[in-house]
Amino acid sequence: MQTTTTDAQWLAQAIELAVANVADGGGPFGAVIVRDGELVATGQNRVTPLLDPTAHAEVQAIRAACQVVGDFSLAGCELFTSCEPCPLCVSASLWARLDRVVFAADRDDAANGGFDDRAFYDVLAAPRDTWTTPVVGLRPADATAPFDAWVAKVDRTRY
Ligand SMILES: [Zn+2]
């Protein structure tokens, strides 16, 4: 009979990874990905050691889990993370088609720890012309050429 590990136990493992990562030179974030009650992969925030602003714990876990399952879809998997996923990680979770995301601390806790999670949620909710990083569409005549090429490619891998 398969042992059932509860949500709280997976979260505890994510928190353990996060705390351990602080001593290991990373940020205070950890994540685990689970399928059918079994651990698939873990991730820890490695932004500063890897010089990679996208190396969030959730993204690291998603990348590792995809290698384990051999697919770019994590449908059927669940993500447990030590902190509410930032907009990057929410988006990565959606792209990965995860079944569910469960978090421990929230964006306010992250803000109190000195992280921008809440600020970025606020930015996304604000009009784009107020953003600190301008995101500008210029739309040249060939703007849709990549999609034309994609749609015309009959053997494309859909995702
Ligand atoms: Zn994130």
Side-chain angles (χ1 to χ4, degrees):
M1 180 180 289
Q2 185 177 322
T3 305
T4 301
T5 306
T6 66
D7 289 355
Q9 287 172 298
W10 290 123
L11 276 182
Q13 190 168 342
I15 292 168
E16 253 177 56
L17 286 165
V19 172
N21 197 45
V22 174
D24 197 30
F29 302 92
V32 300
I33 290 177
V34 176
R35 183 174 56 190
D36 299 328
E38 301 284 343
L39 181 68
V40 175
T42 66
Q44 292 168 299
N45 178 295
R46 303 306 290 167
V47 169
T48 55
L50 296 180
L51 307 180
D52 179 354
T54 70
H56 291 193
E58 299 93 324
V59 171
Q60 297 290 92
I62 287 168
R63 287 173 176 160
C66 286
Q67 295 305 307
V68 170
V69 305
D71 200 332
F72 48 77
S73 169
L74 294 177
C77 297
E78 297 176 304
L79 170 67
F80 294 85
T81 175
S82 64
C83 186
E84 180 179 6
C86 75
L88 165 71
C89 295
V90 167
S91 299
S93 298
L94 294 172
W95 278 112
R97 317 301 180 195
L98 285 160
D99 281 12
R100 188 167 69 122
V101 176
V102 182
F103 62 88
D106 64 17
R107 65 185 74 178
D108 296 321
D109 298 313
N112 290 336
F115 291 90
D116 284 334
D117 302 56
R118 187 176 66 196
F120 289 155
Y121 272 109
D122 292 343
V123 163
L124 289 174
R128 196 180 268 190
D129 61 4
T130 67
W131 291 8
T132 51
T133 300
V135 178
V136 182
L138 294 180
R139 199 162 183 85
D142 61 348
T144 64
F147 296 112
D148 297 341
W150 173 254
V151 171
K153 183 174 169 53
V154 292
D155 62 341
R156 63 187 181 272
T157 301
R158 295 172 187 275
Y159 66 100

